[in-house]
């Protein structure tokens, strides 16, 4: 366990303990424990890759804040904030990050756009991700509670090269979605095109 950090940068008006109390109320216990592990994993990666630790903590804690909201809440936000109508074709898997970031902003008071973008991108990735967004995307995928074929490889590659981890996850997710005939959000394809061919050689050697 990484030592708990004390918030000093005012990314939100809540302190860490208050934020955690809000998350515990918003989430079922298993999801709450997941966000605590994502926070710790994000902090660890942030240390290695020279990303702001406090931003990694806030992003890790808040990334699934909206996961348990009913569909109506997301549809209301999509309409009220005039977000892309294309979003209405998807569901919670896509909404909880892309639309959930708006709830993180309005209800938890996180105003920092880099943190909000990292939350928006945490499920699908994006063609351009800041190091913070890459850290969150990977922390969510490799936190110690994750157990699926390939997770050890993902941990190893992420430790060796953050971008290679991003490419590995993106390839695995796209493969999983296609194999299971699931709808692919266009941004997921953009992420694939931006990251996977770039790491073609490394991915091949590490298949
Ligand atoms: O919220 P978590 O479970 O912690 O993790 P997450 O937000 O990364 O969500 C992972 C799920 O999202 C995983 O089952 C694959 C799914 N997903 C990722 N990209 C897409 C997607 N689902 C659809 N339908 N389309 C996508 O493009
Ligand atoms: Fe999520
Ligand atoms: Fe998550």
């Amino acid at each position: 366990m990484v030592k708990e950090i004390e918030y000093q940068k005012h990314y939100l008006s809540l302190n860490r303990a208050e934020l955690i109390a809000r998350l515990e109320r918003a989430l079922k216990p298993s999801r709450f424990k997941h966000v605590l592990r994502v926070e710790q994993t994000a902090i660890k990666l942030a240390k290695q890759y020279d990303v702001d630790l406090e931003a990694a903590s806030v992003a890790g804690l808040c990334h699934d804040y909206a996961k348990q909201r009913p569909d109506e809440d997301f549809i209301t936000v999509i309409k009220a904030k005039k977000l892309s109508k294309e979003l209405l074709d998807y569901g919670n898997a896509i909404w909880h990050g892309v639309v959930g970031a708006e709830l993180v902003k309005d209800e938890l008071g996180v105003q920092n756009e880099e943190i909000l973008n990292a939350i928006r991108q945490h499920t699908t990735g994006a063609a351009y991700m800041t190091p913070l967004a890459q850290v969150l995307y990977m922390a969510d995928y490799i936190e110690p509670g994750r157990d699926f074929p390939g997770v050890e490889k993902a941990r190893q590659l992420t430790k060796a090269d953050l971008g290679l981890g991003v490419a590995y996850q993106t390839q695995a997710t796209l493969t999983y979605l296609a194999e299971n005939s699931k709808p692919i959000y266009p941004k997921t394809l953009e992420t694939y095109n931006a990251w996977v061919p770039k790491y073609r050689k490394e991915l091949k050697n590490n298949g």
Side-chain angles (χ1 to χ4, degrees):
M1 191 78 161
V2 188
K3 194 172 161 293
E4 287 178 11
I5 60 175
E6 198 172 319
Y7 289 170
Q8 291 168 335
K9 298 199 171 162
H10 308 294
Y11 290 132
L12 70 175
S13 60
L14 305 174
N15 64 37
R16 184 175 174 281
E18 289 165 340
L19 175 57
I20 284 177
R22 289 285 297 269
L23 294 166
E24 192 162 20
R25 268 197 277 146
L27 300 172
K28 64 179 180 187
S30 58
R31 178 67 48 184
F32 174 65
K33 287 182 207 138
H34 161 72
V35 304
L36 294 179
R37 291 190 302 264
V38 172
E39 183 211 17
Q40 296 304 316
T41 307
I43 289 172
K44 225 191 258 181
L45 290 173
K47 280 185 179 153
Q48 181 184 349
Y49 290 109
D50 203 20
V51 166
D52 183 80
L53 303 187
E54 196 170 321
S57 165
V58 173
L61 288 174
C62 295
H63 81 284
D64 278 340
Y65 169 68
K67 186 88 176 188
Q68 273 150 254
R69 300 290 280 256
D71 288 357
E72 305 88 83
D73 287 19
F74 295 112
I75 293 165
T76 301
V77 174
I78 292 166
K79 290 183 175 160
K81 300 213 176 191
K82 301 193 175 7
L83 304 183
S84 167
K85 283 209 172 71
E86 161 198 272
L87 278 167
L88 294 169
D89 297 338
Y90 295 85
N92 180 283
I94 299 301
W95 292 342
H96 81 277
V98 178
V99 187
E102 303 302 323
L103 298 170
V104 170
K105 183 175 175 171
D106 296 346
E107 298 178 8
L108 300 178
V110 175
Q111 299 293 334
N112 181 282
E113 273 300 315
E114 192 187 355
I115 295 175
L116 293 172
N117 278 331
I119 294 170
R120 289 185 182 107
Q121 297 168 352
H122 88 263
T123 306
T124 63
Y128 179 76
M129 281 186 266
T130 67
L132 173 68
Q134 295 174 48
V135 160
L136 178 63
Y137 183 68
M138 292 322 302
D140 191 25
Y141 195 64
I142 65 171
E143 59 94 346
R146 296 290 197 202
D147 183 18
F148 54 85
V151 70
E152 263 319 315
K153 175 61 74 178
R155 290 182 179 123
Q156 183 197 319
L157 297 182
T158 304
K159 199 168 179 185
D161 178 340
L162 184 59
L164 178 55
V166 170
Y168 183 84
Q169 173 179 178
T170 300
Q171 182 166 44
T173 298
L174 198 85
T175 302
Y176 159 83
L177 293 169
E179 277 175 353
N180 289 281
S181 311
K182 301 235 186 200
I184 294 170
Y185 188 58
K187 203 149 222 145
T188 303
L189 283 172
E190 285 176 28
T191 309
Y192 179 91
N193 284 329
W195 291 88
V196 177
K198 188 162 96 180
Y199 286 95
R200 187 170 173 275
K201 252 189 13 220
E202 293 88 338
L203 290 165
K204 206 170 179 173
N205 293 334
N206 284 288

